[in-house]
Amino acid sequence: MAYKTISYAAENGIGVLTLNRPDVMNALNSTMRAEMRAAVEAAPETARVLVITGAGRGFCAGQDLTDRAGDEELDLETTLRDEYEPLLRAIADSPIPTIAAVNGAAAGAGANIALAADVVIAAQSAVFLQAFTRIGLIPDAGGTYTLPRLMGMARAMGAALFADKITARQAEDWGMIWECTADDDFEAHWQARAAHLANGPTGAYARVKEALRASLGNDLDAQLALEARLQGECGRSDDFREGVAAFLEKRKPRFTGR
Ligand code: T3D
């Protein structure tokens, strides 16, 4: 499919979705949200892991503010419901692991789309910015859900109210992201991480995602029941049999995702 605001390419099981409006730090508009959603939903047809990254020096500067200038009253509730929510659901519900490879500034909805991915890897020079209150808004794109869960209420409040830049190193120290890597190693590093997942037990990964995401809303009984059901499914998979056989034969497993 030909896209206007993003590009998508898949190779060796790794799908790479690149936000591609570098002149405006890959700021989001309606077209980009729709194209991202379509690419995220289609990715499992061509890939076993999806990487989301940005073209140029930024990851994503959030909403394109040139679309929001002027005196006209805007219906942001509808935009959030009709455009952001389906995109965030597509990322969260994707059956394949998603990696946000944050190459530079991730601001506003751009930060929270990155944080919606399963794994966030950031270049050391990247920053995360809950820019919303700087322009009189509250964190959206799932931020009010994600932030307290990732970094605790005290830090979520500070990040949202002060709208300070959070460095990639700080984000890693706070447990907000998986890892921060030196700029020089960044690309090779996320590619290696993506390759690892692309060659892994895809069925188990899908169930890891389902179980961990559900645990945020479940009590212990519900979570133990879900875990038992999903592990039962894994136990019947070819990948489980292959993983055990490979361990006993002291060789690398060849996972097929079945
Ligand atoms: O409206 C709704 O639908 C509700 C949903 C809202 C979701 C949101 O995301 S609200 C938050 C919107 N985002 C922001 O407020 C962030 C604005 N940008 C920045 O704070 C900074 O640009 C960055 C921290 C991201 C990067 O700073 P820096 O110094 O590295 O770059 P820069 O010089 O500020 O930006 C480079 C260019 O990108 C510049 O254009 P120019 O001067 O070279 O022609 C700048 O205007 C443009 N740009 C950056 N962010 C946006 C943008 N253009 C439009 N919209 C942007 N968000």
CSV table of all heavy atoms in Angstrom, one decimal, residues 31-83:
chain,number,residue,atom,x,y,z
A,31,THR,N,-4.3,12.1,8.5
A,31,THR,CA,-3.8,11.1,7.5
A,31,THR,C,-2.8,10.2,8.2
A,31,THR,O,-2.8,8.9,8.0
A,31,THR,CB,-3.2,11.8,6.3
A,31,THR,OG1,-4.1,12.7,5.8
A,31,THR,CG2,-2.8,10.8,5.2
A,32,MET,N,-1.9,10.8,8.9
A,32,MET,CA,-0.9,9.9,9.6
A,32,MET,C,-1.5,8.9,10.5
A,32,MET,O,-1.1,7.8,10.6
A,32,MET,CB,0.2,10.8,10.2
A,32,MET,CG,1.4,10.0,10.7
A,32,MET,SD,2.6,10.9,11.7
A,32,MET,CE,3.8,11.3,10.5
A,33,ARG,N,-2.4,9.4,11.3
A,33,ARG,CA,-3.0,8.5,12.3
A,33,ARG,C,-3.7,7.3,11.6
A,33,ARG,O,-3.6,6.2,12.0
A,33,ARG,CB,-4.1,9.2,13.2
A,33,ARG,CG,-3.4,10.1,14.2
A,33,ARG,CD,-4.4,10.7,15.2
A,33,ARG,NE,-5.2,11.8,14.6
A,33,ARG,CZ,-4.7,13.1,14.7
A,33,ARG,NH1,-3.6,13.4,15.2
A,33,ARG,NH2,-5.4,14.1,14.1
A,34,ALA,N,-4.4,7.6,10.5
A,34,ALA,CA,-5.1,6.6,9.7
A,34,ALA,C,-4.1,5.6,9.1
A,34,ALA,O,-4.3,4.4,9.1
A,34,ALA,CB,-6.0,7.2,8.7
A,35,GLU,N,-3.0,6.2,8.5
A,35,GLU,CA,-2.0,5.3,7.9
A,35,GLU,C,-1.3,4.5,8.9
A,35,GLU,O,-1.0,3.3,8.7
A,35,GLU,CB,-1.1,6.2,7.1
A,35,GLU,CG,-1.8,6.8,5.9
A,35,GLU,CD,-0.8,7.6,4.9
A,35,GLU,OE1,0.3,7.9,5.3
A,35,GLU,OE2,-1.2,7.8,3.8
A,36,MET,N,-1.0,5.1,10.1
A,36,MET,CA,-0.3,4.3,11.1
A,36,MET,C,-1.2,3.1,11.5
A,36,MET,O,-0.8,2.0,11.6
A,36,MET,CB,0.0,5.1,12.3
A,36,MET,CG,1.1,6.1,12.1
A,36,MET,SD,1.4,7.1,13.6
A,36,MET,CE,2.2,5.9,14.7
A,37,ARG,N,-2.5,3.4,11.7
A,37,ARG,CA,-3.4,2.3,12.2
A,37,ARG,C,-3.5,1.2,11.1
A,37,ARG,O,-3.4,0.0,11.5
A,37,ARG,CB,-4.8,2.9,12.4
A,37,ARG,CG,-5.8,1.9,12.8
A,37,ARG,CD,-7.2,2.5,12.8
A,37,ARG,NE,-8.2,1.4,13.0
A,37,ARG,CZ,-9.5,1.6,13.0
A,37,ARG,NH1,-10.0,2.8,12.7
A,37,ARG,NH2,-10.3,0.6,13.2
A,38,ALA,N,-3.6,1.6,9.9
A,38,ALA,CA,-3.7,0.6,8.8
A,38,ALA,C,-2.4,-0.2,8.8
A,38,ALA,O,-2.4,-1.5,8.6
A,38,ALA,CB,-3.9,1.3,7.4
A,39,ALA,N,-1.2,0.4,8.9
A,39,ALA,CA,0.0,-0.3,8.8
A,39,ALA,C,0.2,-1.2,10.0
A,39,ALA,O,0.7,-2.4,9.9
A,39,ALA,CB,1.2,0.7,8.7
A,40,VAL,N,-0.2,-0.7,11.2
A,40,VAL,CA,-0.1,-1.6,12.4
A,40,VAL,C,-1.0,-2.8,12.3
A,40,VAL,O,-0.6,-3.9,12.6
A,40,VAL,CB,-0.4,-0.8,13.7
A,40,VAL,CG1,-0.5,-1.7,14.9
A,40,VAL,CG2,0.6,0.3,13.9
A,41,GLU,N,-2.2,-2.6,11.8
A,41,GLU,CA,-3.1,-3.7,11.7
A,41,GLU,C,-2.7,-4.7,10.6
A,41,GLU,O,-2.9,-5.9,10.8
A,41,GLU,CB,-4.5,-3.2,11.4
A,41,GLU,CG,-5.2,-2.5,12.6
A,41,GLU,CD,-6.5,-1.9,12.4
A,41,GLU,OE1,-7.0,-1.8,11.2
A,41,GLU,OE2,-7.2,-1.5,13.4
A,42,ALA,N,-2.1,-4.2,9.6
A,42,ALA,CA,-1.6,-5.1,8.5
A,42,ALA,C,-0.3,-5.8,8.8
A,42,ALA,O,0.0,-6.8,8.1
A,42,ALA,CB,-1.6,-4.3,7.2
A,43,ALA,N,0.5,-5.3,9.7
A,43,ALA,CA,1.9,-5.8,9.9
A,43,ALA,C,2.0,-7.3,10.1
A,43,ALA,O,2.9,-7.9,9.5
A,43,ALA,CB,2.5,-5.0,11.0
A,44,PRO,N,1.1,-7.9,10.9
A,44,PRO,CA,1.2,-9.3,11.1
A,44,PRO,C,1.1,-10.2,9.8
A,44,PRO,O,1.6,-11.3,9.8
A,44,PRO,CB,0.0,-9.7,12.0
A,44,PRO,CG,-0.3,-8.4,12.7
A,44,PRO,CD,0.0,-7.3,11.7
A,45,GLU,N,0.6,-9.6,8.7
A,45,GLU,CA,0.6,-10.3,7.4
A,45,GLU,C,2.0,-10.5,6.8
A,45,GLU,O,2.2,-11.4,6.0
A,45,GLU,CB,-0.3,-9.6,6.4
A,45,GLU,CG,-1.8,-9.6,6.8
A,45,GLU,CD,-2.6,-8.6,6.0
A,45,GLU,OE1,-2.1,-8.1,5.0
A,45,GLU,OE2,-3.6,-8.2,6.5
A,46,THR,N,2.9,-9.6,7.2
A,46,THR,CA,4.2,-9.6,6.6
A,46,THR,C,5.4,-9.7,7.6
A,46,THR,O,6.5,-9.8,7.2
A,46,THR,CB,4.4,-8.3,5.8
A,46,THR,OG1,4.2,-7.1,6.7
A,46,THR,CG2,3.5,-8.1,4.6
A,47,ALA,N,5.0,-9.6,8.9
A,47,ALA,CA,6.1,-9.5,9.9
A,47,ALA,C,5.8,-10.3,11.2
A,47,ALA,O,4.6,-10.5,11.5
A,47,ALA,CB,6.4,-8.0,10.2
A,48,ARG,N,6.8,-10.6,11.9
A,48,ARG,CA,6.7,-11.3,13.2
A,48,ARG,C,7.0,-10.3,14.3
A,48,ARG,O,6.8,-10.7,15.5
A,48,ARG,CB,7.5,-12.5,13.3
A,48,ARG,CG,7.0,-13.6,12.4
A,48,ARG,CD,8.0,-14.8,12.2
A,48,ARG,NE,8.3,-15.4,13.5
A,48,ARG,CZ,8.4,-16.7,13.7
A,48,ARG,NH1,8.2,-17.5,12.7
A,48,ARG,NH2,8.7,-17.1,14.9
A,49,VAL,N,7.5,-9.1,14.0
A,49,VAL,CA,7.7,-8.1,15.0
A,49,VAL,C,7.5,-6.7,14.2
A,49,VAL,O,7.9,-6.7,13.1
A,49,VAL,CB,9.1,-8.2,15.7
A,49,VAL,CG1,10.2,-8.1,14.7
A,49,VAL,CG2,9.3,-7.1,16.7
A,50,LEU,N,7.0,-5.7,14.9
A,50,LEU,CA,6.8,-4.4,14.3
A,50,LEU,C,7.6,-3.4,15.0
A,50,LEU,O,7.5,-3.3,16.3
A,50,LEU,CB,5.3,-4.0,14.3
A,50,LEU,CG,5.0,-2.6,13.9
A,50,LEU,CD1,5.3,-2.4,12.4
A,50,LEU,CD2,3.5,-2.2,14.2
A,51,VAL,N,8.4,-2.6,14.3
A,51,VAL,CA,9.2,-1.5,14.9
A,51,VAL,C,8.6,-0.2,14.4
A,51,VAL,O,8.3,-0.1,13.2
A,51,VAL,CB,10.7,-1.6,14.4
A,51,VAL,CG1,11.5,-0.4,14.9
A,51,VAL,CG2,11.3,-2.9,14.8
A,52,ILE,N,8.4,0.7,15.3
A,52,ILE,CA,7.9,2.1,14.9
A,52,ILE,C,9.0,3.0,15.2
A,52,ILE,O,9.5,3.1,16.3
A,52,ILE,CB,6.6,2.4,15.7
A,52,ILE,CG1,5.5,1.4,15.5
A,52,ILE,CG2,6.1,3.8,15.3
A,52,ILE,CD1,4.3,1.6,16.4
A,53,THR,N,9.4,3.8,14.2
A,53,THR,CA,10.5,4.8,14.4
A,53,THR,C,10.2,6.0,13.6
A,53,THR,O,9.1,6.1,12.9
A,53,THR,CB,11.8,4.1,14.0
A,53,THR,OG1,12.9,5.0,14.5
A,53,THR,CG2,12.0,3.9,12.5
A,54,GLY,N,11.1,7.0,13.7
A,54,GLY,CA,10.8,8.3,13.0
A,54,GLY,C,11.9,8.6,12.0
A,54,GLY,O,13.1,8.3,12.2
A,55,ALA,N,11.6,9.3,10.9
A,55,ALA,CA,12.5,9.7,9.9
A,55,ALA,C,13.1,11.1,10.4
A,55,ALA,O,12.5,11.9,11.0
A,55,ALA,CB,11.9,10.0,8.6
A,56,GLY,N,14.4,11.3,10.1
A,56,GLY,CA,15.1,12.5,10.5
A,56,GLY,C,15.5,12.5,12.0
A,56,GLY,O,15.7,11.5,12.5
A,57,ARG,N,15.5,13.7,12.5
A,57,ARG,CA,16.1,13.8,13.9
A,57,ARG,C,15.1,13.7,15.0
A,57,ARG,O,15.5,13.6,16.2
A,57,ARG,CB,16.9,15.1,14.0
A,57,ARG,CG,16.0,16.4,14.1
A,57,ARG,CD,16.9,17.6,14.2
A,57,ARG,NE,16.1,18.8,14.2
A,57,ARG,CZ,15.6,19.4,15.4
A,57,ARG,NH1,15.9,18.8,16.5
A,57,ARG,NH2,14.9,20.5,15.3
A,58,GLY,N,13.8,13.6,14.7
A,58,GLY,CA,12.8,13.4,15.8
A,58,GLY,C,12.1,12.1,15.6
A,58,GLY,O,12.0,11.5,14.5
A,59,PHE,N,11.5,11.6,16.7
A,59,PHE,CA,10.6,10.5,16.6
A,59,PHE,C,9.2,11.0,16.2
A,59,PHE,O,8.7,10.7,15.1
A,59,PHE,CB,10.5,9.7,18.0
A,59,PHE,CG,9.5,8.6,18.0
A,59,PHE,CD1,9.8,7.4,17.4
A,59,PHE,CD2,8.3,8.7,18.6
A,59,PHE,CE1,8.9,6.4,17.4
A,59,PHE,CE2,7.4,7.7,18.7
A,59,PHE,CZ,7.7,6.5,18.0
A,60,CYS,N,8.6,11.8,17.1
A,60,CYS,CA,7.2,12.4,16.7
A,60,CYS,C,6.9,13.5,17.7
A,60,CYS,O,7.0,13.3,18.9
A,60,CYS,CB,6.2,11.3,16.8
A,60,CYS,SG,4.5,11.9,16.6
A,61,ALA,N,6.6,14.6,17.1
A,61,ALA,CA,6.3,15.8,18.0
A,61,ALA,C,4.9,16.0,18.4
A,61,ALA,O,4.4,17.1,18.8
A,61,ALA,CB,6.8,17.1,17.2
A,62,GLY,N,4.1,14.9,18.3
A,62,GLY,CA,2.7,14.9,18.7
A,62,GLY,C,1.8,15.6,17.6
A,62,GLY,O,2.2,15.7,16.4
A,63,GLN,N,0.7,16.1,18.1
A,63,GLN,CA,-0.3,16.7,17.1
A,63,GLN,C,0.4,17.8,16.3
A,63,GLN,O,1.1,18.6,16.9
A,63,GLN,CB,-1.5,17.3,17.9
A,63,GLN,CG,-2.4,18.1,17.1
A,63,GLN,CD,-3.1,17.3,16.0
A,63,GLN,OE1,-3.5,16.2,16.1
A,63,GLN,NE2,-3.2,17.9,14.8
A,64,ASP,N,0.1,17.8,15.0
A,64,ASP,CA,0.6,18.9,14.2
A,64,ASP,C,-0.2,20.2,14.6
A,64,ASP,O,-1.4,20.3,14.3
A,64,ASP,CB,0.4,18.6,12.7
A,64,ASP,CG,1.0,19.6,11.8
A,64,ASP,OD1,1.1,20.8,12.2
A,64,ASP,OD2,1.5,19.3,10.7
A,65,LEU,N,0.5,21.1,15.2
A,65,LEU,CA,-0.2,22.3,15.8
A,65,LEU,C,-0.6,23.3,14.7
A,65,LEU,O,-1.4,24.1,15.0
A,65,LEU,CB,0.7,22.9,16.9
A,65,LEU,CG,0.9,22.0,18.1
A,65,LEU,CD1,1.8,22.6,19.1
A,65,LEU,CD2,-0.4,21.6,18.7
A,66,THR,N,0.0,23.1,13.5
A,66,THR,CA,-0.5,24.0,12.4
A,66,THR,C,-1.9,23.7,12.1
A,66,THR,O,-2.7,24.6,11.5
A,66,THR,CB,0.4,24.0,11.2
A,66,THR,OG1,0.4,22.6,10.7
A,66,THR,CG2,1.8,24.4,11.5
A,67,ASP,N,-2.4,22.5,12.4
A,67,ASP,CA,-3.8,22.1,12.1
A,67,ASP,C,-4.7,22.6,13.2
A,67,ASP,O,-5.9,22.4,13.2
A,67,ASP,CB,-3.9,20.6,12.1
A,67,ASP,CG,-3.4,20.0,10.8
A,67,ASP,OD1,-3.0,20.8,9.9
A,67,ASP,OD2,-3.3,18.7,10.7
A,68,ARG,N,-4.1,23.2,14.3
A,68,ARG,CA,-4.9,23.6,15.4
A,68,ARG,C,-4.9,25.1,15.7
A,68,ARG,O,-5.5,25.5,16.7
A,68,ARG,CB,-4.4,22.9,16.7
A,68,ARG,CG,-4.5,21.3,16.6
A,68,ARG,CD,-5.9,20.9,16.7
A,68,ARG,NE,-6.1,19.5,16.7
A,68,ARG,CZ,-6.5,18.7,15.7
A,68,ARG,NH1,-6.7,19.3,14.5
A,68,ARG,NH2,-6.7,17.4,15.8
A,69,ALA,N,-4.3,25.8,14.7
A,69,ALA,CA,-4.3,27.3,14.9
A,69,ALA,C,-5.6,27.9,14.5
A,69,ALA,O,-6.4,27.4,13.8
A,69,ALA,CB,-3.1,27.8,14.0
A,70,GLY,N,-5.8,29.1,15.1
A,70,GLY,CA,-7.0,29.9,14.7
A,70,GLY,C,-8.0,29.9,15.8
A,70,GLY,O,-7.9,29.3,16.9
A,71,ASP,N,-9.2,30.6,15.6
A,71,ASP,CA,-10.2,30.8,16.6
A,71,ASP,C,-11.3,29.8,16.6
A,71,ASP,O,-12.2,29.7,17.4
A,71,ASP,CB,-10.8,32.2,16.4
A,71,ASP,CG,-9.8,33.3,16.7
A,71,ASP,OD1,-8.9,33.0,17.5
A,71,ASP,OD2,-10.0,34.4,16.1
A,72,GLU,N,-11.3,28.9,15.5
A,72,GLU,CA,-12.4,28.0,15.3
A,72,GLU,C,-12.4,27.0,16.5
A,72,GLU,O,-11.3,26.5,16.9
A,72,GLU,CB,-12.1,27.2,14.0
A,72,GLU,CG,-13.2,26.4,13.5
A,72,GLU,CD,-12.8,25.6,12.3
A,72,GLU,OE1,-11.9,26.0,11.6
A,72,GLU,OE2,-13.3,24.5,12.2
A,73,GLU,N,-13.6,26.7,17.0
A,73,GLU,CA,-13.7,25.7,18.1
A,73,GLU,C,-13.5,24.3,17.6
A,73,GLU,O,-14.0,23.9,16.5
A,73,GLU,CB,-15.1,25.8,18.7
A,73,GLU,CG,-15.2,25.1,20.1
A,73,GLU,CD,-16.4,25.5,20.8
A,73,GLU,OE1,-16.7,26.7,21.1
A,73,GLU,OE2,-17.2,24.5,21.0
A,74,LEU,N,-12.6,23.6,18.3
A,74,LEU,CA,-12.3,22.2,17.8
A,74,LEU,C,-12.9,21.2,18.7
A,74,LEU,O,-13.0,21.3,19.9
A,74,LEU,CB,-10.7,22.1,17.8
A,74,LEU,CG,-9.9,23.0,16.9
A,74,LEU,CD1,-8.5,23.0,17.3
A,74,LEU,CD2,-10.1,22.5,15.5
A,75,ASP,N,-13.3,20.0,18.0
A,75,ASP,CA,-13.9,18.9,18.8
A,75,ASP,C,-12.8,17.9,19.0
A,75,ASP,O,-12.7,16.9,18.3
A,75,ASP,CB,-15.1,18.4,18.0
A,75,ASP,CG,-15.8,17.2,18.8
A,75,ASP,OD1,-15.3,16.9,19.9
A,75,ASP,OD2,-16.7,16.7,18.2
A,76,LEU,N,-12.0,18.1,20.0
A,76,LEU,CA,-10.9,17.2,20.3
A,76,LEU,C,-11.4,15.8,20.8
A,76,LEU,O,-10.7,14.8,20.6
A,76,LEU,CB,-9.9,17.8,21.3
A,76,LEU,CG,-9.2,19.1,20.9
A,76,LEU,CD1,-8.1,19.5,21.8
A,76,LEU,CD2,-8.7,19.1,19.4
A,77,GLU,N,-12.5,15.8,21.5
A,77,GLU,CA,-13.0,14.6,22.0
A,77,GLU,C,-13.3,13.6,20.8
A,77,GLU,O,-12.9,12.4,20.9
A,77,GLU,CB,-14.3,14.8,22.7
A,77,GLU,CG,-14.9,13.5,23.3
A,77,GLU,CD,-16.2,13.8,24.2
A,77,GLU,OE1,-16.5,14.9,24.5
A,77,GLU,OE2,-16.8,12.8,24.6
A,78,THR,N,-13.8,14.1,19.7
A,78,THR,CA,-14.1,13.3,18.6
A,78,THR,C,-12.8,12.8,17.9
A,78,THR,O,-12.7,11.6,17.5
A,78,THR,CB,-15.0,14.0,17.5
A,78,THR,OG1,-16.2,14.4,18.2
A,78,THR,CG2,-15.3,13.2,16.3
A,79,THR,N,-11.8,13.7,17.9
A,79,THR,CA,-10.5,13.3,17.3
A,79,THR,C,-9.9,12.1,18.1
A,79,THR,O,-9.4,11.1,17.6
A,79,THR,CB,-9.5,14.5,17.3
A,79,THR,OG1,-10.1,15.6,16.7
A,79,THR,CG2,-8.3,14.1,16.5
A,80,LEU,N,-10.0,12.3,19.4
A,80,LEU,CA,-9.4,11.3,20.3
A,80,LEU,C,-10.1,9.9,20.1
A,80,LEU,O,-9.5,8.9,20.0
A,80,LEU,CB,-9.4,11.7,21.8
A,80,LEU,CG,-8.4,12.8,22.1
A,80,LEU,CD1,-8.5,13.2,23.6
A,80,LEU,CD2,-7.0,12.4,21.8
A,81,ARG,N,-11.5,10.0,20.1
A,81,ARG,CA,-12.3,8.8,20.0
A,81,ARG,C,-12.1,8.1,18.7
A,81,ARG,O,-11.9,6.9,18.6
A,81,ARG,CB,-13.7,9.1,20.3
A,81,ARG,CG,-14.4,8.1,21.2
A,81,ARG,CD,-15.8,8.4,21.5
A,81,ARG,NE,-16.4,9.4,20.6
A,81,ARG,CZ,-17.0,10.5,21.0
A,81,ARG,NH1,-17.1,10.8,22.2
A,81,ARG,NH2,-17.6,11.3,20.1
A,82,ASP,N,-12.2,8.9,17.6
A,82,ASP,CA,-12.2,8.3,16.3
A,82,ASP,C,-10.9,8.0,15.7
A,82,ASP,O,-10.7,7.2,14.8
A,82,ASP,CB,-13.0,9.2,15.3
A,82,ASP,CG,-14.5,9.3,15.7
A,82,ASP,OD1,-14.9,8.6,16.6
A,82,ASP,OD2,-15.2,10.2,15.1
A,83,GLU,N,-9.8,8.8,16.1
A,83,GLU,CA,-8.5,8.6,15.4
A,83,GLU,C,-7.4,8.1,16.4
A,83,GLU,O,-6.7,7.2,16.0
A,83,GLU,CB,-8.1,10.0,14.9
A,83,GLU,CG,-9.1,10.5,13.8
A,83,GLU,CD,-8.7,11.8,13.2
A,83,GLU,OE1,-7.5,12.2,13.3
A,83,GLU,OE2,-9.5,12.4,12.6
